Amino acid sequence: MSENLPARKLGRNVAVAGKSRVFHAFWPDDAVRAGLQRWVDGAHAAAGGNATQPRNLHMTLCFIGQVADAQLPMLSALAAELPWQPIELLLDRAGWWKHNRVAWLGCSSLPAALAQSARALRQRLLENEVDFDDKPFVPHVTLLREVRPSQAWLEALKPLAPVRWTLQRPVLVLAGRDEQGACYQPLP
């Protein structure tokens, strides 16, 4: 029965032969990852929930979803072909989305170059007839899932140092699962 449904109706974690679940993202280096992990640890101590594993910390630029494996080289090349200059970003503002119970770390000020890069990548996806999630781009790193934070947990995070991140070229990331749960792997 499910073979007749579009891929997006199969659910987030269903493996489909010959298909992969992917997104374009900025992948942190070890120093940035350590700074992000301090925020994950602080948020988890203050609000509980399911902490993002250190190996999975990233900033999604554009979520694509399930695609045929044959499309992976083209999708990797789309981001690589965009003109790119490193962008300085200061992650200094925590918040949460009540509707999906996600706590996040974002920026008080969105660099114009970052918003422009998100638009350029989405335009390239449209030109190549690739479906993607067209929700507005909100730069953030997911800290926790399944959380019911309050204003008090935000106060507990105020002493944490902002994370400075020089965003390099985005990469295509494969979303999968292993024995530890979600597993994100940047593709070359």
Side-chain angles (χ1 to χ4, degrees):
M1 180 162 100
S2 66
E3 63 272 3
N4 296 327
L5 295 175
R8 64 179 154 269
K9 302 283 187 194
L10 291 174
R12 292 174 44 150
N13 300 318
V14 174
V16 177
K19 293 193 176 223
S20 295
R21 188 168 176 257
V22 297
F23 56 92
H24 283 102
F26 296 106
W27 204 254
D29 62 23
D30 290 341
V32 170
R33 188 173 306 281
L36 295 172
Q37 188 60 46
R38 284 190 289 279
W39 280 83
V40 170
D41 294 343
H44 190 252
N50 297 330
T52 300
Q53 294 180 33
R55 68 182 182 164
N56 289 336
L57 291 166
H58 69 280
M59 179 182 293
T60 300
L61 184 59
C62 185
F63 181 78
I64 297 169
Q66 283 191 336
V67 297
D69 289 345
Q71 289 185 285
L72 296 179
M74 178 271 293
L75 291 170
S76 286
L78 284 180
E81 293 167 356
L82 288 175
W84 188 260
Q85 295 294 321
I87 299 171
E88 295 296 322
L89 188 65
L90 183 66
L91 297 168
D92 61 349
R93 184 172 72 98
W96 75 89
W97 289 308
K98 190 175 183 178
H99 72 281
N100 61 3
R101 298 171 48 180
V102 167
W104 49 264
L105 177 63
C107 49
S108 297
S109 177
L110 174 61
L114 181 53
Q116 181 180 4
S117 295
R119 284 190 303 274
L121 177 58
R122 289 167 181 230
Q123 182 60 41
R124 294 286 291 139
L125 291 168
L126 286 171
E127 290 167 2
N128 285 275
E129 299 179 354
V130 176
D131 290 333
F132 59 89
D133 184 346
D134 63 356
K135 283 188 276 206
F137 172 60
V138 178
H140 71 281
V141 175
T142 298
L143 303 174
L144 307 169
R145 294 186 184 280
E146 301 302 322
V147 67
R148 293 185 190 272
S150 66
Q151 210 50 45
W153 84 277
L154 291 174
E155 294 299 318
L157 297 179
K158 283 190 174 178
L160 292 175
V163 176
R164 293 188 182 280
W165 187 353
T166 302
L167 300 175
Q168 301 299 329
R169 187 173 297 282
V171 295
L172 187 67
V173 179
L174 178 65
R177 296 193 70 73
D178 64 13
E179 61 279 348
Q180 297 174 14
C183 179
Y184 302 146
Q185 179 67 45
L187 298 175

